Amino acid sequence: MEKLMTAKDAVREAIVSAKADKAMSWEEIANHVGCSPVFLTSACLGENSLTDDQASAVTSLLGIDSAHIPALTSCPTKGQRIHELANDPLVYRFQEITAVYGETLKELIHEKAGDGIMSAIDFTMDVEKIEDPKGDRIQVTMNGKFLPYRRW
Amino acid sequence: MEKLMTAKDAVREAIVSAKADKAMSWEEIANHVGCSPVFLTSACLGENSLTDDQASAVTSLLGIDSAHIPALTSCPTKGQRIHELANDPLVYRFQEITAVYGETLKELIHEKAGDGIMSAIDFTMDVEKIEDPKGDRIQVTMNGKFLPYRRW
Amino acid sequence: MEKLMTAKDAVREAIVSAKADKAMSWEEIANHVGCSPVFLTSACLGENSLTDDQASAVTSLLGIDSAHIPALTSCPTKGQRIHELANDPLVYRFQEITAVYGETLKELIHEKAGDGIMSAIDFTMDVEKIEDPKGDRIQVTMNGKFLPYRRW
Amino acid sequence: MEKLMTAKDAVREAIVSAKADKAMSWEEIANHVGCSPVFLTSACLGENSLTDDQASAVTSLLGIDSAHIPALTSCPTKGQRIHELANDPLVYRFQEITAVYGETLKELIHEKAGDGIMSAIDFTMDVEKIEDPKGDRIQVTMNGKFLPYRRW
Amino acid sequence: MEKLMTAKDAVREAIVSAKADKAMSWEEIANHVGCSPVFLTSACLGENSLTDDQASAVTSLLGIDSAHIPALTSCPTKGQRIHELANDPLVYRFQEITAVYGETLKELIHEKAGDGIMSAIDFTMDVEKIEDPKGDRIQVTMNGKFLPYRRW
Amino acid sequence: MEKLMTAKDAVREAIVSAKADKAMSWEEIANHVGCSPVFLTSACLGENSLTDDQASAVTSLLGIDSAHIPALTSCPTKGQRIHELANDPLVYRFQEITAVYGETLKELIHEKAGDGIMSAIDFTMDVEKIEDPKGDRIQVTMNGKFLPYRRW
Amino acid sequence: MEKLMTAKDAVREAIVSAKADKAMSWEEIANHVGCSPVFLTSACLGENSLTDDQASAVTSLLGIDSAHIPALTSCPTKGQRIHELANDPLVYRFQEITAVYGETLKELIHEKAGDGIMSAIDFTMDVEKIEDPKGDRIQVTMNGKFLPYRRW
Amino acid sequence: MEKLMTAKDAVREAIVSAKADKAMSWEEIANHVGCSPVFLTSACLGENSLTDDQASAVTSLLGIDSAHIPALTSCPTKGQRIHELANDPLVYRFQEITAVYGETLKELIHEKAGDGIMSAIDFTMDVEKIEDPKGDRIQVTMNGKFLPYRRW
Amino acid sequence: MEKLMTAKDAVREAIVSAKADKAMSWEEIANHVGCSPVFLTSACLGENSLTDDQASAVTSLLGIDSAHIPALTSCPTKGQRIHELANDPLVYRFQEITAVYGETLKELIHEKAGDGIMSAIDFTMDVEKIEDPKGDRIQVTMNGKFLPYRRW
Amino acid sequence: MEKLMTAKDAVREAIVSAKADKAMSWEEIANHVGCSPVFLTSACLGENSLTDDQASAVTSLLGIDSAHIPALTSCPTKGQRIHELANDPLVYRFQEITAVYGETLKELIHEKAGDGIMSAIDFTMDVEKIEDPKGDRIQVTMNGKFLPYRRW
């Protein structure tokens, strides 16, 4: 694991560095790869795994050594940076939303679909900026499969 | 504070009880009040404050003593149930999403709008069930004002 | 919520008390209800929800007031007793197994099925005693749907 | 200790690296060594100790320096990676199972076998993928000796 | 559970109260019951379970209602008072001993008996005062079965 | 401090390494030095300080540079590895014993000797393996001076 | 235990209440009892035990029911209020002193007396106000027996 | 900061090393510098700042490069080693004293001087060994300005 | 203590309730008493102590039983509600300001005044709303005595 | 991220070092750059981002390599040093102010402006030393936009 982790960290650093040198955005890379910017960014940061084709597209676009491809396609250990990120105001606001609205989400998801949860695995997310004369807005759309609790 | 807190707890309990007796959904109550189900539910659970009109609409619809109205319009102390909710699988998934995608959200919001955050105060949220033959899905849409960090 | 929680606690106490008075086992109750002992026990303790029929079967078998049925069928807030249970040696051993074998489970599940997880929602569990002349053994079988991480 | 710990880390890294280079699975290595894949994987990751014969079989199969054998046969300090793994969704699900079903396990083990625990030391575990047209499943079987609390 | 817990708490309180009224020591009660003072005390405080005979001997000796017997023979949830006890100097010294000598115990038990642990379940403990002109001493003797880690 | 700490770590590593090369046990080293194996091991691991004579005996027996002697005789900062050891099953069992029997120890020590504690400083400990046909046992004997609380 | 704890709490409340009604200071009570104000206060607050004579002196002086005497002479569970006191600025300053000067105390005590500690059991403490034209000062004098680490 | 912190660490290490080489005590260094041993030690360990004259006296006495002087006179970030020191028995005893006597200190300081605190900034401390035939004692004297809470 | 604490809680509740019944603001009460709204509010909520005159002014203005006066003038245990308040977004923002600007405050206070701190005891605070066409602003002014670290 | 973080750390170190070499104050640098000392300091320490012009002004004033400019203008991960700073007395006082006055701030901001918060993003802060014959004072002025909670 340690080894693959290091490999994940190395490719992350190589991508962030090349992306800065080429002044490319995550959105441009995602468009080139043909997938969602959220998914592409999370995989490059080490929180998801790419297919071989996706990984090749990333490394060739950014001019990164193809030896990094296995690190991009291997299964990550997720969530490992959350402790250092938890005090950052942007990230904290999402924790605050769960603190303030978590019980509301629980009530409404149960009301709409019964006893179960929204999957965070069979899950997609989008981030958009919505222009607004009173101040632009950020819209985050989360979409997860409803998983009913099994009775057996 | 303690007193108002108790008042918040009392009206919450009165609402949840009357709602169960009348077999009404949060959505029906929200439609009656004329606001979003997420906002209505969060206010009834004690995480937001209603206007006087909204509070009257809730108490008269559910047949609750109007003496509860000040508790519904007072400013709440928010986020107080998160510790007991944090081990619940439905609520935990939202924490997991922040753990896994928090850095991605940070990257993309900064990429789209510069140095700043998505407000959790000037903020709205929607929860929908999306029918899908492969399994229904839950869609949560968060929409917050982008607040640029001030330089002074 | 508080109210329903209290209702969950009340029915739990009524069941545990009636079960002791009638000297019935969880297994006997489960057989009468027609479901798994693990599922039945977890629902009676407040960690899962029963169908109306299952709840009626429980209350009539144990001679409990049918007014408790809604508490048994409502969606629970799960995992709320883990902090007080975490120092109990029997419960701790399962935490220890995750501490010692968690990375092994990660390696082997990824090896067998790719990037994804074993669901704890679409999930069943069995507990059996296996007689053994060198000392009886406990066998716990967990069975959860493999959920592949979605790429989008 | 520090030294042996480092030795454990070094052999772990050597194994993970050679396994990747030779494209071998944990299951293939375990079959060659003649033991369970769970046990073999846990020992290679540093959570269990091998016999001399098992350790030699591993190093010769993977072409690793036999100087690593003492590290594989020495007594490990277990559970040291759990904090960094605890936010990973796959590992968290096992903690969630303990949170949700821990009291149920306690009830049923006591019901079947009296006052005591399931050993996590005199313990075996199996992981299998079960093909299922509605979605493959993962089955984890834990088997531990029942240890009755001694009265003295 | 809650109910049985309350029952455990109730019998604990009844015993501590009757013991004070009758000015009996734990040692006298244990001698009457015919078991070790450590075991007897731990069971009366709610951390172990007695046999029916032992429980009857306790209740009759102390003149406690025999309705308390099932609470004494039921399986306890153990370790629940450790958080409130952890700052007490007498209890803390035992935690300090583990902090200072834990690695030493690990080294010497492995040296003497191989890879395994000392059981805390198949376990007995004695506490003695040893008179000493330079100041009396307390001797605590712990005796647990060595459990070798299973290889499978 | 940092410097002495490093010195403590360096001598620890030198001892563990030389001990492995010479295939000596802690017991053999202790016998050579003329002190208890528990004390010797704890001092070599960095949790106690040796006298000059004891330190010289250790370094000459193991063929370690005598420049390490001051590190062995200096006052250690104790208990610094407990956080990484706390998840190890062997070490955890001792914490569990305190969790389960801590209040019992408190009751019995007060009963035997009055208001006071067992010292962990004026303290000795022994570890023995006791052969037993039903499975060998580990016996740990702790012996500390009783310190009565001073009233002033 | 619970019962004695309650008794400790009850006598504490009775003393604090009677002390307020009679407008007596801790110092006056201590002078009447013939012991140090620090010791007397700590015992009345439930952190130390009095002798029978001391307890009688307290109850008769304050006009408290003598049934409270056993609660004053029983062995307390100490340190239980520290979590609620830890955010109080006066109490925090003593924690800050340990944080800032803890290593200095370690260095100087070892320098003066060798490897050992200052006992917190065979220990006395005094609190004085020292008048000073530039602002009065508080002087706290701690005096504990030096306990050398035993080598065995 | 980082840089100055490193500078603080470097001068600390240089002082501890030179002090050992020259076999000087903290007391001797303090006498040479003309200040209290507690203050001198705390400043050398990185918890206080020296004046230029004091810093020069330290570096010239110990033969340390005068380039270290700014590190000794810069404002430190205090309390950063407390987490690693907290399990050390000598340091823990001071935390225990706060846990056991914190409320007593609060009562007596308020009784003597009203609503306010003892400053830990306008503060001095002394450590002395007091010879005693029944065992030497350590006396720690803390002296801080009483700061009354301001009403405004 | 417990008793006085209860008294603090009781007067707090009486004040909050009477203030709501009379529809008075904290600012009006403070103006009547002749002190700062921040100080008055904090004292009524239990975090500061009033003089006898101030306490009488509060109770007579609000029509509260004068038996509450001693509770208002007694020394409070401060900071006890912070844990329940810490997840509230308004309160959290002040913690966030410390997290983001704490090191900056340290740098600038040291730069302006040398090694020392801003007192939180000899301290005043003001809260004002500043009307602004682009959105009103809140201004919080903190003013504390600079306390230089004593060298001795 | 890691890479940019390192870049943030590197420029921070370069600035702190050059600032010391040139003996410049934060205030002088801020005056040169034309912004507030608080903002300038926080950006140089890595908690805010500068504009290109501001960053160029900093690097040219201090004679730092202009390759550091992107690190100064990139979006920081904020709040990451708070854990190591939290025990420092100067920083702790600000946490204490929130603990003691947090509820008061909540009451008064709600009283003045309704349900909402003071923004920590659209926020400015000033630090001033105020000369005072009775001891200089530090004044910290925080000014944040009032954000009303949105109802939707």
Side-chain angles (χ1 to χ4, degrees), chain H residues 42-54:
Chain H
S42 69
C44 291
L45 294 176
E47 297 283 342
N48 268 314
S49 59
L50 297 177
T51 64
D52 279 335
D53 285 357
Q54 290 172 324

Side-chain angles (χ1 to χ4, degrees), chain G residues 12 19 24-28 37-39 41-43 45 47-48 78-82 85 88-91 93-113 116-130 134-147 149, chain H residues 12 19 24-28 37-39 41-43 45 47-48 78-82 85 88-91 93-113 116-130 134-147 149:
Chain G
R12 168 189 160 113
K19 169 178 175 294
M24 297 190 72
S25 68
W26 293 114
E27 193 142 11
E28 290 167 333
V38 168
F39 177 72
T41 308
S42 69
L45 294 175
E47 297 283 342
N48 268 314
K78 300 180 157 204
Q80 305 216 64
R81 281 178 175 83
I82 186 59
L85 287 166
D88 180 76
L90 186 145
V91 176
R93 293 306 179 274
F94 290 92
Q95 296 186 310
E96 187 174 297
I97 290 166
T98 304
V100 172
Y101 294 101
E103 201 178 16
T104 293
L105 288 164
K106 191 167 166 63
E107 283 292 300
L108 292 178
I109 292 173
H110 291 332
E111 178 169 308
K112 285 175 193 298
I117 68 161
M118 181 188 85
S119 179
I121 309 295
D122 185 340
F123 173 82
T124 66
M125 184 161 66
D126 261 316
V127 180
E128 277 176 83
K129 183 172 76 172
I130 299 181
K134 284 177 296 183
D136 294 346
R137 300 185 71 81
I138 301 295
Q139 185 168 290
V140 176
T141 311
M142 301 171 174
N143 180 301
K145 192 174 183 183
F146 178 74
L147 303 180
Y149 284 112
Chain H
R12 167 189 161 112
K19 169 178 173 296
M24 298 190 71
S25 67
W26 294 113
E27 193 141 12
E28 290 167 332
V38 168
F39 176 72
T41 308
S42 69
L45 294 176
E47 297 283 342
N48 268 314
K78 299 180 159 205
Q80 304 215 62
R81 281 177 174 83
I82 187 59
L85 287 166
D88 179 75
L90 186 146
V91 175
R93 294 305 179 275
F94 290 92
Q95 296 186 311
E96 187 175 297
I97 289 166
T98 304
V100 172
Y101 293 102
E103 201 177 17
T104 293
L105 288 163
K106 191 167 166 62
E107 282 293 299
L108 291 178
I109 292 173
H110 290 332
E111 177 169 308
K112 285 175 192 299
I117 68 161
M118 181 188 85
S119 179
I121 308 295
D122 186 339
F123 172 82
T124 66
M125 184 161 64
D126 261 316
V127 180
E128 277 175 83
K129 183 171 77 172
I130 299 182
K134 284 177 296 181
D136 294 346
R137 301 186 71 82
I138 301 295
Q139 185 168 289
V140 176
T141 311
M142 301 173 173
N143 180 301
K145 193 175 181 181
F146 177 74
L147 303 180
Y149 283 110

